Amino acid sequence: MRRQACAAISLTLLLTLPSPLYPTYAQASREVPVTIAPWQQCLIQYAQALAIDPDLFHAIVQTESAGHPWALGWTDQTGRRHSYIARRQEDAAGMLHRLLRTASNVDIGIAQISSQHLGWLALHHQIRSHDLLEPCVNLYVASLILHT
């Protein structure tokens, strides 16, 4: 009997507490005065434009680059996967320039946009490879790719 009473009280407390106990990424960025990276506002904007949960878009970014805006990934000629995270945008730009000359495919920036899209991006959106090192541009391109 005592166990049932405790369970009932716990359930009542759970139902009366504000939900969720832990705010989602999107809620935290809107409601809690937390310092966030400027690109996170872009992420929320483009997620809303796609009509997807910003938490889902954030999960994609976390999976692709762990939230590093100047991340680069490529596969070498032997099939080994490599990644590089620059400390500065200029360093990422230099490495990207070298990789585009030597690697068959490079994944660029915070959403790891494939260099296979560069021709299409240049032709239809006037976006060049180094533009993808700007987090908001990169997230915009990710939203274009997810939309198609």
Side-chain angles (χ1 to χ4, degrees):
M1 184 69 144
R2 187 174 179 172
R3 188 179 296 166
Q4 290 174 332
C6 287
I9 291 170
S10 297
L11 181 60
T12 303
L13 284 174
L14 183 63
L15 293 175
T16 58
L17 288 174
S19 180
L21 291 175
Y22 303 102
T24 65
Y25 172 77
Q27 290 170 329
S29 63
R30 283 194 307 262
E31 298 169 2
V32 179
V34 176
T35 303
I36 61 172
W39 61 262
Q40 291 173 321
Q41 291 299 327
C42 297
L43 181 142
I44 293 168
Q45 175 187 345
Y46 296 131
Q48 290 171 343
L50 286 168
I52 64 171
D53 188 329
D55 290 329
L56 174 59
F57 204 9
H58 185 255
I60 292 168
V61 164
Q62 285 301 114
T63 300
E64 293 295 335
S65 70
H68 294 289
W70 306 311
L72 299 171
W74 71 98
T75 304
D76 67 20
Q77 294 172 343
T78 65
R80 273 189 36 199
R81 185 78 182 148
H82 300 274
S83 61
Y84 171 79
I85 298 171
R87 291 185 183 190
R88 300 178 317 144
Q89 187 172 356
E90 297 79 24
D91 297 335
M95 180 65 141
L96 176 58
H97 182 70
R98 287 188 295 278
L99 287 171
L100 289 173
R101 287 182 298 167
T102 60
S104 61
N105 186 48
V106 181
D107 299 321
I108 307 164
I110 197 161
Q112 294 289 276
I113 305 301
S114 172
S115 60
Q116 294 178 4
H117 297 290
L118 291 176
W120 171 75
L121 289 170
L123 182 63
H124 297 285
H125 301 280
Q126 293 72 50
I127 295 173
R128 296 171 297 180
S129 60
H130 67 274
D131 296 328
L132 294 174
L133 295 173
E134 292 288 342
C136 286
V137 173
N138 193 285
L139 292 168
Y140 169 70
V141 171
S143 73
L144 290 175
I145 293 168
L146 287 171
H147 181 61
T148 58

